[in-house]
Amino acid sequence: MYIKCTSYLTVYNFCFQAIILYVEVGIKPQLIMSAKIDHDLPLAWEVLLPAGPALAHHVGCIINNTFYIHGGVTSHRSIIPSNKLYKLDLNGLIWNEIRVDGSPALSHHACVTMDNRYFVLIGGWDGQKRLSRVFIFDTVESVWKYPVDDGFAEGAGLSSHAVCLLENRDILVVGREGCLRTVEKHGNAYILKSDLRKMIFSYTKISDDNISRSGHTINTIDNCAYILGGRNDDFIEQLQTGFKSKEPIGELNSQFKSALSELNLKPLTRLPKGRRNHVAFRGKGCLVIHGGETFDGRSRTAVGEMYVMVAKPKVTFYKIGNSPVPRASHVCVNTGNRIIFHGGIAWKNVIYGDCYELKIKCYSDRYSLESDLEIKSIDGDSEI
């Protein structure tokens, strides 16, 4: 059963952004409307909440039907991170700031959730240097905790890195690793083990030959971890050492491939162009990619491009289309049944505070699909 939505909502989303931009920063709607976009995608972002904390390069998670976000920056290219923590009750849809002493000021950090209770922050930029430290917000006791961490290279830290919680409770961490203050960076991979009872986290390096990246994503399908983006070339890198994540598969994201099979999607003959600060979330046997900033010089702002990567029988990319919701450096959370993103950078590098939720459209709801086209495959074995 597909989750229905109308194409009018997609058009509304785009017009809503255009009006806000014109009012706030004077960008004329007709200039925005000239962008090449697809209003009728099978996977469409709909406005969940039009206003909230305006942040980018922050982190977020959903615990017990509450959306938590932390840190980030409030202006484009700012190096001053926020220490604010907010929560959104997904039933009432009202943002509230959680004012608890001890919240760290961080941006460009990463996070996982543990035990459906702990909001675990890893690394990031504190306004002066990169960190490898771990911070925990206990959502039950509503307190910050400061575990001890060891095993990370002395004199180095993490920022614009990516993490993934594995089934065995280990955390896979993949660079950007670099010196505390300089732009030097490396692509090393670590396993971060946790002992929440003792509040101890330990890094163990598992690879020092990964490609250097910044603003990339990492997800797993079956036993393989896929690192996407974060640089101009080498769009994808695979770690095939038996990684299985706890990223959920539910009623929504299990339907991605079947929803996309209705389209005339041809496999790309080249990898998607390089990008960073995008989001990627898992479906059944696939990953969906949204937004980011490209390196090709054609776009000086965030893009709305959406792609799907199918893992088997071999890794194949398809372009879903150009979403009318461009965004970069946003936070995206996936429960399996709901996929929501918050904030990020959009038109003319404006930072937003809105929330969007991903919806799947039925074939009958899409008015622009040409039903007489067939799905074609260049290789003959890589159809969605």
Side-chain angles (χ1 to χ4, degrees):
M1 180 181 225
Y2 290 123
I3 299 173
K4 292 186 177 181
C5 67
T6 68
S7 30
Y8 301 108
L9 278 174
T10 305
V11 176
Y12 163 76
N13 294 344
F14 184 72
C15 294
F16 175 81
Q17 288 194 87
I19 293 169
I20 292 297
L21 281 167
Y22 182 66
V23 171
E24 291 186 353
V25 294
I27 302 172
K28 294 183 179 180
Q30 60 264 33
L31 296 179
I32 299 171
M33 295 294 286
S34 64
K36 182 180 179 181
I37 57 174
D38 301 310
H39 290 291
D40 198 37
L41 299 176
L43 303 181
W45 296 107
E46 292 186 6
V47 174
L48 177 65
L49 199 59
L55 294 167
H57 297 294
H58 51 314
V59 295
C61 69
I62 291 179
I63 298 176
N64 293 325
N65 209 40
T66 300
F67 187 9
Y68 294 89
I69 59 173
H70 174 269
V73 296
T74 57
S75 61
H76 182 54
R77 294 184 177 174
S78 172
I79 60 171
I80 302 174
S82 169
N83 72 338
K84 291 187 176 181
L85 174 67
Y86 299 92
K87 67 177 181 180
L88 174 67
D89 184 329
L90 292 175
N91 292 321
L93 293 181
I94 297 176
W95 282 107
N96 288 291
E97 182 179 356
I98 304 174
R99 298 183 178 181
V100 177
D101 290 340
S103 180
L106 293 171
S107 67
H108 302 80
H109 44 326
C111 77
V112 299
T113 63
M114 302 189 79
D115 298 342
N116 202 33
R117 171 176 178 171
Y118 299 109
F119 185 11
V120 182
L121 313 184
I122 302 165
W125 172 258
D126 71 355
Q128 295 182 326
K129 60 184 181 301
R130 298 188 186 100
L131 306 176
S132 60
R133 288 192 61 185
V134 177
F135 303 89
I136 297 177
F137 181 71
D138 184 336
T139 62
V140 173
E141 298 181 1
S142 196
V143 296
W144 283 98
K145 299 185 177 182
Y146 310 95
V148 175
D149 65 89
D150 58 41
F152 201 82
E154 188 174 350
L158 293 163
S159 67
S160 297
H161 51 299
V163 302
C164 181
L165 180 64
L166 305 177
E167 281 188 344
N168 63 359
R169 295 176 60 85
D170 289 348
I171 303 168
L172 177 60
V173 182
V174 178
R176 180 201 200 195
E177 175 196 348
C179 299
L180 298 182
R181 296 178 177 83
T182 68
V183 297
E184 180 185 355
K185 55 185 182 291
H186 308 282
N188 299 337
Y190 291 83
I191 289 292
L192 181 59
K193 291 185 175 293
S194 63
D195 185 333
L196 291 174
R197 185 177 60 84
K198 296 181 179 179
M199 282 288 150
I200 297 175
F201 284 72
S202 298
Y203 288 94
T204 301
K205 184 184 287 188
I206 60 171
S207 172
D208 58 5
D209 59 358
N210 294 97
I211 300 170
S212 174
R213 299 175 185 273
S214 175
H216 49 295
T217 56
I218 184 166
N219 306 80
T220 69
I221 300 176
D222 296 328
N223 292 319
C224 185
Y226 298 89
I227 308 168
L228 301 178
R231 57 184 294 124
N232 186 34
D233 55 2
D234 295 310
F235 182 75
I236 182 172
E237 188 175 3
Q238 300 180 42
L239 300 178
Q240 301 184 21
T241 52
F243 296 116
K244 281 190 176 182
S245 77
K246 297 190 71 174
E247 192 172 1
I249 296 294
E251 183 179 355
L252 177 71
N253 64 356
S254 63
Q255 300 181 63
F256 289 162
K257 288 173 67 176
S258 59
L260 293 170
S261 67
E262 299 174 349
L263 291 180
N264 179 36
L265 295 181
K266 299 178 182 179
L268 299 181
T269 57
R270 297 180 180 178
L271 292 174
K273 55 192 175 186
R275 69 196 58 235
R276 62 185 176 188
N277 300 323
H278 55 287
V279 297
F281 44 91
R282 182 184 175 188
K284 189 175 181 179
C286 66
L287 298 176
V288 175
I289 303 145
H290 170 251
E293 302 163 327
T294 61
F295 292 90
D296 60 3
R298 296 178 183 176
S299 174
R300 297 182 181 274
T301 187
V303 299
E305 295 171 346
M306 295 186 71
Y307 295 88
V308 62
M309 186 205 86
V310 177
K312 291 183 178 180
K314 64 180 182 179
V315 172
T316 308
F317 286 88
Y318 302 80
K319 185 171 183 179
I320 302 171
N322 295 313
S323 165
V325 187
R327 207 57 60 98
S329 306
H330 43 325
V331 162
C332 187
V333 288
N334 172 18
T335 71
N337 298 318
R338 302 186 76 175
I339 295 172
I340 299 170
F341 84 68
H342 168 265
I345 302 168
W347 301 105
K348 299 297 182 180
N349 297 320
V350 174
I351 292 183
Y352 279 73
D354 49 4
C355 278
Y356 281 80
E357 183 166 7
L358 191 73
K359 299 290 184 178
I360 296 179
K361 291 186 180 182
C362 289
Y363 178 91
S364 58
D365 289 331
R366 299 198 303 274
Y367 58 84
S368 64
L369 182 67
E370 297 183 27
S371 58
D372 59 332
L373 293 178
E374 298 178 355
I375 295 177
K376 298 179 181 179
S377 171
I378 288 177
D379 300 312
D381 63 350
S382 55
E383 294 181 359
I384 294 183

